[in-house]
Amino acid sequence: IVATSLAVAKAAAATYEIPLFMYLGGYAADTMPVPMLNIINGGVHAGNKLDFQEFMIVPAGFNSFSEALRASVEVYHTLKALLKERYGASAINVGDEGGFAPPMERASEALDALVDAIKRAGYKPGSDIALAIDAASSRLYSEEKRVYRVEGRELTREEMIDLYEQLVDQYPIVSIEDPLYEEDFEGFTELTRRLGNKVLIVGDDLYVTNPARLAKGIELKSTNAILVKVNQVGTLTETIDVVKMAHRSGLKAIISHRSGETEDTAIADLAVGLSTGLIKTGAPARGERTAKYNRLLEIERLLE
């Protein structure tokens, strides 16, 4: 159904002889997204001991998408050299989404490495390039014990929230995805109450791009952002409805890839067409990831 839905939209855009992003968003669609690049992989995306699944850079301090992407690529390659120095050649193997999978054990190690790479590449952490985390906490949660297993410790919901507060205080983090168990709407609400004025609290497993679950999250004020994946909900129309629903309620919508990707670039057009302002599509490596970045560069040129 997803394939058919995308094919119909592409055919319609071709019939009108306009780009897909313009077909989806009209002639006013001209907002280029800030990319969120997963450049250190952990969790199920990698074979290391990092519990959190993704450590991202967010180049939000630039005037154009192409400048933001260039800076990100420079940081990515600087990080590669830095990891090789510190951990040896095996540290620069890449995970599912193109990020490196170094032999790290603690979130602070990964975040420190990102800050160091940003500085070494000539940019300012926080003002030029910020950080983001996808904790994928459901994989760390024991329903039986009702605790999270993180870095050799068993943490309660309250202790997890305290951990995120500490990380946000210590590092220039602007987004935390799936910080708690996917059924803990109330826990998300508490975390958003405490940190939502500083960072995006993003629901992915919490919502699975499902309008009914999003409606519950909106009612409970569980998050201030949602991750949107076309092949989670099933069709392009439903995806657009979820994004509109989020925007009406004041939530940020982040258009996202999946771990198992193809070279299809529709989500690049979707991010621009729906004016989400953010896209998450992996490290600047591997063809199925770079295809999206190349398409965004094309769109930027079309809009000039």
Side-chain angles (χ1 to χ4, degrees):
I1 294 174
V2 171
T4 306
S5 180
L6 289 173
V8 169
K10 290 177 182 181
T15 301
Y16 286 115
E17 297 183 346
I18 57 175
L20 180 58
F21 74 88
M22 199 173 287
Y23 172 73
L24 295 171
Y27 289 98
D30 63 356
T31 301
M32 293 299 299
V34 173
M36 305 173 77
L37 302 96
N38 171 17
I39 62 173
I40 292 183
N41 293 181
V44 296
H45 286 181
N48 57 20
K49 294 182 180 179
L50 284 172
D51 289 320
F52 291 167
Q53 190 163 278
E54 300 176 14
F55 297 86
M56 294 168 269
I57 53 172
V58 186
F62 298 89
N63 294 322
S64 69
F65 175 80
S66 52
E67 289 175 345
L69 184 60
R70 184 193 67 200
S72 300
V73 172
E74 289 171 357
V75 171
Y76 180 74
H77 287 286
T78 302
L79 178 66
K80 181 177 182 178
L82 186 150
L83 292 175
K84 198 171 180 181
E85 283 173 22
R86 291 183 183 175
Y87 300 97
S90 64
I92 55 175
N93 292 330
V94 297
D96 286 354
E97 297 181 359
F100 301 112
M104 295 175 171
E105 297 185 7
R106 301 177 64 84
S108 56
E109 277 184 90
L111 294 167
D112 284 336
L114 292 183
V115 168
D116 291 347
I118 291 167
K119 289 178 179 175
R120 195 186 286 194
Y123 298 101
K124 294 179 182 176
S127 56
D128 291 331
I129 302 176
L131 306 181
I133 293 171
D134 175 5
S137 287
S138 292
R139 299 180 186 279
L140 309 175
Y141 186 68
S142 166
E143 290 186 62
E144 185 183 341
K145 290 187 172 184
R146 301 183 71 174
V147 295
Y148 298 86
R149 295 190 177 95
V150 181
E151 297 175 0
R153 296 180 294 162
E154 292 189 344
L155 303 180
T156 63
R157 173 212 280 175
E158 187 66 26
E159 288 169 333
M160 281 293 277
I161 293 174
D162 289 343
L163 172 62
Y164 294 125
E165 282 193 317
Q166 291 167 18
L167 291 174
V168 169
D169 284 343
Q170 290 172 359
Y171 299 96
I173 293 169
V174 293
S175 174
I176 305 173
E177 180 184 330
D178 284 344
L180 297 171
Y181 174 54
E182 62 197 37
E183 298 299 335
D184 190 6
F185 280 86
E186 293 76 13
F188 270 86
T189 300
E190 174 62 16
L191 180 57
T192 300
R193 186 187 68 77
R194 283 167 60 172
L195 279 179
N197 62 336
K198 294 180 180 178
V199 301
L200 293 180
I201 305 298
V202 185
D204 174 18
D205 295 340
L206 184 73
Y207 295 134
V208 290
T209 318
N210 181 302
R213 292 183 69 89
L214 176 58
K216 181 177 179 179
I218 289 168
E219 182 185 349
L220 295 174
K221 298 180 179 176
S222 295
T223 71
N224 54 16
I226 177 175
L227 203 74
V228 177
K229 297 171 176 171
V230 180
N231 75 343
Q232 265 181 335
V233 67
T235 67
L236 201 50
T237 301
E238 291 170 299
T239 305
I240 292 167
D241 288 345
V242 166
V243 171
K244 287 180 177 177
M245 185 178 179
H247 284 171
R248 281 196 303 270
S249 301
L251 273 69
K252 274 278 188 188
I254 303 167
I255 300 297
S256 176
H257 62 164
R258 305 301 301 266
S259 293
E261 262 294 335
T262 72
E263 291 187 357
D264 184 272
T265 61
I267 63 168
D269 285 77
L270 193 62
V272 178
L274 300 186
S275 301
T276 60
L278 289 165
I279 188 169
K280 182 181 169 191
T281 189
R286 300 168 57 128
E288 75 277 9
R289 316 291 158 187
T290 58
K292 279 75 164 174
Y293 293 123
N294 287 332
R295 175 58 184 157
L296 286 165
L297 290 171
E298 287 176 359
I299 293 172
E300 185 176 58
R301 284 195 293 271
L302 288 172
L303 292 173
E304 285 176 353

